[in-house]
Amino acid sequence: PLFILPQLYGMGGTVNRFWAQDGSTEVGHGSLTLLQGWSRQDLRCSFDAFTSMGGHAVNSRQFGQLVRISHFSQSKEIFDYLLGPDIERGLLDFWSVIGPMVIM
């Protein structure tokens, strides 16, 4: 049987931006491939760093540190893409990032 999953919404629909809009399993933006294929240990280290920060929203600098992207322009591009229309807020719900990373 075909199962239809509900769309998941994070802050500003972050989760929806992870996958291509055509319903495929491809990522929604080429730069998101940097968030694919993380080992359990790497995810755990990132998650531990995130939880030690307190709160659930991160700015672009914190995001770059958590996803271990050393080039600010590259992490900022991903951050802005995932933030979407909430860009003026300047904060991204990291729960909406780490969740999809686990299944990617």
Side-chain angles (χ1 to χ4, degrees), residues 17-103:
R17 285 188 277 284
F18 264 92
W19 289 277
Q21 295 300 312
D22 63 5
S24 71
T25 58
E26 298 297 317
V27 292
H29 189 272
S31 61
L32 293 177
T33 58
L34 295 172
L35 305 182
Q36 287 180 307
W38 282 41
S39 70
R40 177 174 163 67
Q41 182 175 352
D42 287 341
L43 285 166
R44 180 63 191 258
C45 288
S46 187
F47 179 76
D48 288 345
F50 163 59
T51 55
S52 72
M53 290 179 174
H56 64 88
V58 298
N59 62 32
S60 62
R61 182 188 56 78
Q62 293 167 319
F63 174 79
Q65 292 171 342
L66 290 171
V67 297
R68 301 178 186 178
I69 298 175
S70 58
H71 299 289
F72 179 75
S73 61
Q74 207 170 24
S75 66
K76 180 80 167 116
E77 177 185 1
I78 296 170
F79 179 85
D80 288 346
Y81 174 76
L82 292 174
L83 197 56
D86 291 335
I87 200 161
E88 71 280 348
R89 184 163 181 220
L91 295 173
L92 179 63
D93 179 6
F94 196 71
W95 287 109
S96 298
V97 175
I98 195 83
M101 286 176 66
V102 169
I103 60 172

